[in-house]
Amino acid sequence: MTRLMSHRLPSLPQPGDAAAMLPTPTLVVDLDAMQRNLQRMADFARQHRLRLRPHAKMHKSAAIAKLQVAAGAVGVCVQKLSEAEALAAAGVTDLFISNEIVDLPKLARVAELAGRVTLAIAVDSKLGVERLAQAMQAAGSHIDVFVEVDVGQGRCGVAPTAAGALAQQVVAHGPAGLRFAGLQAYHGRAQHLRSPAEREAAIHHAASLARAAQASVTAAGIVCPLITGAGTGTFAFEAASGLWGELQPGSYLFMDRDYADNEPAPGAPVFEQALFIKAQVISRGAAHAVIDAGHKAYAIDSGLPTTWLRSNLTLANGGDEHGILHPAPHVRADVLPQLGETVWLVPGHCDPTVNLHDHLIAVRGGLQDGVVEAVWAVDARGCVN
């Protein structure tokens, strides 16, 4: 007869625990670096008299969203309805779903949520507006609506010349609970252009398209209250344009290897790496070392992580549960870490890396010698609908 054994999960780290004692692999936030990033972006927005609405799809954490609001953000963006629901349930009260929803059951959920929090949503089709109005009227709720314009992403959004007609559709459904709030103008493809000149040129073109969309709305006899958009790679250029009134960067708070590969824009705040995976060497060969963190601990869509402060090492793909460290080219094998040694990784892409974990462990006082100050739930982990 098979004996059934109860399975007990390990307990979470607690405030006051030494960072050196955290299990591996663990997703760790350098709280000192994160709070400097938080303040630098808040100060930038304040100095340029711009609204700041950070994108919470990056951290998916209500606790962090509340820190951003406390620092001056007007609210946060999300990309999925279920993210909005999860953050609202944890006490975040001002949310913008910067994405289109046309599914009727989902729109009924949107309308229900709009009755509990301040909510906005993006649209780019007449059908989307009509179905949203139907849901809002049935629920007796109200919602802010942004017409999304394609300013170079080549993904969602109407052509600039079509923005006015769609804004008219929104205004026509005002009695059903829709309020035209402005234009969503985000250029995602510009975020990782490596040189400032490339990013500036992309946003200059995006601004010309956003300005044409604004003119289309004005020609339709409608006031355009706000243009919102921008990301961590380009926000300084949207701010300089004088056109955007609200910024939506997300990754600035944690940063990642991919954003670190960008050449900083002159005069823009410089953000620090604040998100790390703590890993440990569990096997050692003559010319390689194996760590206990693989694809299930970090996303690889933007490439493999790098090793923090150890440029003499390279990380190779080791599969789901392993990473393989090699000496960098022309470096001796004796630089490899020893069995049991800690290795800190900087993920290639922070957003999907966070989505692989249930908690973020916030450490104060440095990665090596610091202590745990907070344990934050990734409230919207797995929220994809």
Side-chain angles (χ1 to χ4, degrees):
M1 183 174 66
T2 302
R3 183 180 179 187
L4 298 177
M5 301 292 290
S6 62
H7 180 67
R8 183 180 178 185
L9 294 173
S11 59
L12 284 171
Q14 297 298 310
D17 288 353
M21 299 305 294
L22 291 174
T24 56
T26 294
L27 193 62
V28 177
V29 176
D30 181 334
L31 193 51
D32 299 301
M34 190 204 83
Q35 290 189 321
R36 288 191 290 269
N37 291 343
L38 177 76
Q39 195 60 51
R40 286 168 188 162
M41 183 61 82
D43 288 346
F44 179 89
R46 191 175 301 111
Q47 290 162 8
H48 289 80
R49 298 182 180 179
L50 296 170
R51 292 160 54 100
L52 177 62
R53 185 179 289 277
H55 222 306
K57 74 179 180 67
M58 188 278 290
H59 54 70
K60 291 176 171 278
S61 166
I64 296 176
K66 291 174 184 177
L67 289 175
Q68 291 175 310
V69 170
V74 297
V76 296
C77 296
V78 294
Q79 202 71 346
K80 296 290 186 173
L81 167 60
S82 53
E83 288 178 331
E85 291 170 326
L87 295 184
V92 180
T93 60
D94 194 319
L95 296 150
F96 171 32
I97 303 172
S98 55
N99 200 2
E100 285 70 28
I101 298 175
V102 296
D103 179 69
L104 287 170
K106 285 184 184 179
L107 288 170
R109 289 162 50 197
V110 168
E112 189 279 330
L113 182 62
R116 295 188 285 115
V117 300
T118 300
L119 190 64
I121 195 169
V123 298
D124 72 352
S125 67
K126 180 180 178 181
L127 178 66
V129 172
E130 290 173 347
R131 289 186 170 186
L132 177 64
Q134 177 184 336
M136 299 302 294
Q137 188 166 37
S141 300
H142 295 80
I143 193 168
D144 284 344
V145 180
F146 288 88
V147 169
E148 183 163 10
V149 181
D150 183 359
V151 292
Q153 172 81 357
R155 192 171 59 187
C156 298
V158 298
T161 54
L166 195 57
Q168 284 181 319
Q169 292 289 326
V170 175
V171 171
H173 288 90
L178 275 54
R179 186 182 81 87
F180 176 65
L183 300 174
Q184 162 77 355
Y186 172 68
H187 191 347
R189 294 174 63 185
Q191 302 309 313
H192 297 282
L193 297 173
R194 295 308 180 200
S195 75
E198 290 176 295
R199 298 197 301 278
E200 184 176 25
I203 297 308
H204 179 77
H205 180 60
S208 68
L209 297 176
R211 194 169 285 109
Q214 186 183 50
S216 174
V217 171
T218 302
I222 299 168
V223 174
C224 183
L226 181 69
I227 296 179
T228 181
T232 296
T234 66
F235 69 90
F237 302 118
E238 279 95 349
S241 74
L243 190 62
W244 278 263
E246 182 176 87
L247 306 177
Q248 301 176 2
S251 298
Y252 75 93
L253 194 65
F254 287 168
M255 296 299 284
D256 52 34
R257 195 229 72 246
D258 199 17
Y259 266 115
D261 287 345
N262 280 0
E263 182 183 344
V270 175
F271 302 108
E272 305 170 46
Q273 302 289 346
L275 184 72
F276 302 88
I277 297 116
K278 183 186 179 185
Q280 184 181 54
V281 177
I282 59 171
S283 181
R284 183 71 154 75
H288 74 278
V290 181
I291 58 174
D292 58 354
H295 302 170
K296 292 181 181 177
Y298 48 75
I300 61 171
D301 60 300
S302 294
L304 290 165
T306 54
T307 50
W308 179 242
L309 299 180
R310 301 183 80 152
S311 59
N312 55 7
L313 297 174
T314 62
L315 181 67
N317 191 334
D320 290 354
E321 311 293 356
H322 304 89
I324 304 174
L325 294 171
H326 296 283
H330 313 298
V331 174
R332 292 163 51 100
D334 58 11
V335 303
L336 287 168
Q338 298 301 309
L339 198 63
E341 191 172 337
T342 294
V343 177
W344 295 92
L345 304 177
V346 178
H349 189 181
C350 50
D351 304 31
T353 294
V354 171
N355 195 48
L356 293 170
H357 296 262
D358 290 325
H359 296 89
L360 293 150
I361 311 303
V363 168
R364 177 83 71 186
L367 298 177
Q368 301 289 359
D369 302 319
V371 297
V372 175
E373 183 167 306
V375 177
W376 295 321
V378 183
D379 302 279
R381 181 189 179 186
C383 291
V384 297
N385 61 31

